[in-house]
Amino acid sequence: MGVLRDNPEFALFLCLAVGYLVGKLRVGPITLGGICGTLIVSLLLGAWAHVEIDADVKTIFFALFIFALGYMAGPQFFANLNRRSLRFFALCGIELVSVLAIAIGLAKVFDLDVGTAAGILAGAATESAVVGTATEAIGKLPGLTAEQVTTYQGHVATAYTVCYLFGLVTIVIYTSQIMPMMMRINLRDASRELWEKMRGSGGSLESDEREALPGLVGRTYLVTHADGRTVGDLETNFGGRVTVEVVKRGSTTLTPRPDLELTLSDLVLIVGRRANTIEAGRVIGPETPGIPGVDTPLATSQVAVTDRAVSGKSLDDIQRTHPEFARDGVYVTDVLRNDQHLPATPETVVERGDVVTLVGARSGLDRVVAKIGTVAKNDATDFIYLGFGIAFGSLLGQLVVRIGGVPLSLGTGGGCLVSGLLFGWFRSRRQTFGAFPPQAATTIKDMGLALFIACTGLTSGPQAWPLLKEYGALLPFAGIAMVLVPATLSLVVGRKLLNIEKPLLIGAIAGQQCSTPAITSVTQVAQSSVPMLGYTITYALSNFLLPLTGPILVGILGA
């Protein structure tokens, strides 16, 4: 015990290691996750050893976490502030109003202190960032003694831990198992049907293909059925979704001009998506093995979308308005939004800041890149940009606004979140500066939150047991209720009023709860990433809005 007290850094990283080990334990489709595991271990260790951690350490780690979170969500958050995403924005509004109303109601009915109420909100909403924003807001409440501040902040962590456990289990089971039954759908079949509708290719995928990422393939065919047809006519017949790359006639290789007429026994190389190239073979003739001379190298490039005219359009619309795609045989094979891969279907909407993977002949590829964006250069962190961003957020968090006598402040956490959103969005406008590679951002985000949670748990451990004895039965009930109420309201509103497709709605509800385990379970049940299209919109919005509920709740109850 003395080793832990005298070496708080040892206790801190021990909590991190053991906590993530505990978080790997699986019960059916549910795992606690590293953050919840870390908090459980740190609470137990703190209650036993009474380890003291400087409060500034928590603030620094939380600032790193919340800035990285905002930076990653910024481009998508601002992209979703449009008319097309209003129906998904409504779901986030339901989540925010519901959890705040329930938390305030529980506090009034059961006479909860501000820390317990904030912990219930953070845990039931499965939003770890609320722990930080609420804890910081409690520290700034006027009229509280240092002992009261410590006690209430400890109650935030304890209530969060219990409610998170029950909230996590509830949202995972509700979205992946119960919601499909309530809507009377087989989630796998419904996702597949919506996928095929979005693909617009008129055919189903082969059993060995992944729906989330259709393969780009090249195949050679012997001209029999297409005798007399021109190259341009053939490509137009498939809506520009296949390209004739090479035509070989005897020993001569011909340039595939649009007016070139194919003749019997020509060999042609077709490049396009798998389903389209297979369909093209039925029009052209039998497939042949690869033949020397009938081949062309294809280059791959990851491109950050910066063109305003492209943002907000579907891949199909982009290809129609940019003939370079069809003319030069360039295809989109992947869309990366933050750290989420979206299915590259014709109806997938591309936003500014997305990174799309383009495949095609190098000359054509360069022309398309020049039209829609810039080659993504994200190989080293720009610490100048990162440092100024966190410093600006820290200053922003010091501002205090009084509304009806209630002092409201973003605090360091809220300020860095807003700063991260702005700096991430500004970076996405022209990705030639401010690099923050996704892997680096994810590492800083996860480690910053984990160490902040470990600090919180170690210092809050002594207050955990008295709170559990006092409100032990209430906390599980609150954790379940604060998931079921907003999720059920969103389900009804999403279907009856907003007419959101069922797989997308389930994904969006998981996103409004900011629950990565829930969307992971949903996509596993669906065997498709289609629900992810709804998840990314609400996840980006709720990731910004939910942390702000901490200071709001503390300000209302603290007054």
Side-chain angles (χ1 to χ4, degrees):
M1 187 182 298
V3 174
L4 294 172
R5 288 178 181 172
D6 297 338
N7 300 277
E9 72 281 1
F10 169 69
L12 195 60
F13 286 99
L14 180 64
C15 289
L16 184 69
V18 178
Y20 267 77
L21 185 62
V22 171
K24 288 182 176 293
L25 298 178
R26 177 179 295 275
V27 179
I30 299 171
T31 56
L32 291 178
I35 299 302
C36 188
T38 298
L39 186 51
I40 292 173
V41 171
S42 60
L43 281 170
L44 294 174
L45 196 61
W48 175 59
H50 295 267
V51 180
E52 294 185 4
I53 302 289
D54 193 298
D56 291 337
V57 176
K58 289 199 302 181
T59 302
I60 291 171
F61 282 129
F62 189 69
L64 288 172
F65 154 69
I66 206 74
F67 179 83
L69 177 68
Y71 186 98
M72 296 171 71
Q76 194 56 31
F77 175 79
F78 287 103
N80 287 327
L81 298 180
N82 55 48
R83 183 176 302 175
R84 178 176 49 81
S85 298
L86 280 179
R87 57 179 186 166
F88 291 99
F89 194 89
L91 301 183
C92 295
I94 291 172
E95 176 75 21
L96 263 64
V97 172
S98 297
V99 296
L100 272 174
I102 295 172
I104 293 171
L106 289 173
K108 298 296 185 183
V109 172
F110 294 96
D111 195 27
L112 302 178
D113 64 80
V114 64
T116 303
I120 288 174
L121 189 153
T126 62
E127 178 52 74
S128 306
V130 178
V131 176
T133 56
T135 299
E136 189 176 27
I138 289 172
K140 296 184 177 182
L141 281 177
L144 294 182
T145 65
E147 184 180 355
Q148 286 176 313
V149 169
T150 301
T151 300
Y152 291 161
Q153 289 178 338
H155 289 178
V156 174
T158 304
Y160 165 83
T161 304
V162 178
C163 290
Y164 180 88
L165 290 173
F166 286 89
L168 175 64
V169 172
T170 303
I171 190 63
V172 169
I173 295 176
Y174 197 41
T175 53
S176 64
Q177 306 296 328
I178 298 176
M179 280 188 181
M181 290 191 293
M182 292 174 64
M183 291 190 285
R184 299 178 181 178
I185 61 170
N186 180 299
L187 187 56
R188 180 178 181 275
D189 293 342
S191 298
R192 184 180 182 86
E193 290 172 7
L194 182 57
W195 164 260
E196 291 175 359
K197 177 183 175 182
M198 295 169 68
R199 289 175 70 235
S201 62
S204 61
L205 295 172
E206 300 295 332
S207 60
D208 61 346
E209 293 179 0
R210 290 185 60 191
E211 293 182 338
L213 191 61
L216 183 71
V217 299
R219 295 192 175 188
T220 55
Y221 295 103
L222 178 68
V223 174
T224 54
H225 309 314
D227 182 23
R229 298 185 65 169
T230 64
V231 169
D233 175 49
L234 190 64
E235 292 178 339
T236 302
N237 185 67
F238 291 95
R241 292 191 175 92
V242 298
T243 307
V244 178
E245 293 287 343
V246 177
V247 177
K248 188 171 185 180
R249 184 169 297 162
S251 60
T252 305
T253 301
L254 306 177
T255 302
R257 301 184 310 274
D259 60 348
L260 177 64
E261 187 174 297
L262 301 176
T263 63
L264 199 65
S265 298
D266 281 352
L267 293 170
V268 294
L269 171 64
I270 299 291
V271 173
R273 298 192 183 281
R274 189 183 307 276
N276 300 125
T277 55
I278 292 174
E279 184 65 25
R282 298 171 186 161
V283 176
I284 299 171
E287 185 177 359
T288 66
I291 299 173
V294 186
D295 197 4
T296 184
L298 297 178
T300 301
S301 182
Q302 288 190 315
V303 180
V305 176
T306 58
D307 183 17
R308 187 191 302 272
V310 171
S311 180
K313 291 185 177 180
S314 68
L315 291 178
D316 209 29
D317 290 337
I318 294 171
Q319 290 173 341
R320 279 200 300 267
T321 56
H322 289 73
E324 298 88 355
F325 279 93
R327 186 181 67 234
D328 297 323
V330 177
Y331 299 88
V332 180
T333 61
D334 186 35
V335 178
L336 180 64
R337 183 167 297 163
N338 298 327
D339 57 348
Q340 304 289 349
H341 290 272
L342 304 182
T345 69
E347 292 189 4
T348 296
V349 174
V350 174
E351 303 291 354
R352 205 168 185 178
D354 288 351
V355 176
V356 296
T357 300
L358 302 181
V359 177
R362 190 173 301 280
S363 58
L365 198 62
D366 292 340
R367 284 191 288 269
V368 172
V369 171
K371 284 280 187 179
I372 69 170
T374 181
V375 175
K377 295 180 179 179
N378 220 10
D379 53 352
T381 300
D382 185 345
F383 283 101
I384 299 174
Y385 195 70
L386 180 66
F388 275 122
I390 297 177
F392 173 74
S394 179
L395 288 177
L396 185 63
Q398 307 311 309
L399 300 177
V400 178
V401 178
R402 292 186 175 272
I403 301 177
V406 178
L408 295 177
S409 171
L410 290 175
T412 301
C416 286
L417 176 60
V418 174
S419 173
L421 285 168
L422 294 173
F423 274 62
W425 168 78
F426 192 62
R427 148 77 177 171
S428 72
R429 309 284 289 181
R430 178 65 64 182
Q431 300 198 31
T432 55
F433 61 89
F436 198 10
Q439 296 88 344
T442 300
T443 299
I444 287 181
K445 176 175 71 72
D446 293 346
M447 178 167 278
L449 178 59
L451 290 174
F452 164 78
I453 288 293
C455 291
T456 301
L458 286 171
T459 55
S460 304
Q463 291 85 36
W465 181 242
L467 183 71
L468 289 176
K469 287 196 297 184
E470 185 176 1
Y471 298 118
L474 173 64
L475 299 181
F477 166 78
I480 295 172
M482 289 182 70
V483 169
L484 292 180
V485 171
T488 303
L489 287 174
S490 293
L491 184 65
V492 174
V493 172
R495 284 304 302 157
K496 301 297 184 182
L497 300 180
L498 304 178
N499 198 31
I500 300 175
E501 294 84 353
K502 294 176 182 179
L504 298 187
L505 178 58
I506 292 175
I509 291 173
Q512 78 180 43
Q513 189 84 13
C514 292
S515 179
T516 301
I519 192 61
T520 300
S521 183
V522 167
T523 53
Q524 287 175 349
V525 172
Q527 297 181 25
S528 167
S529 66
V530 166
M532 189 73 74
L533 295 173
Y535 173 83
T536 55
I537 299 176
T538 53
Y539 178 80
L541 294 172
S542 287
N543 246 333
F544 167 65
L545 296 173
L546 277 177
L548 299 181
T549 60
I552 293 173
L553 179 68
V554 171
I556 293 173
L557 297 181

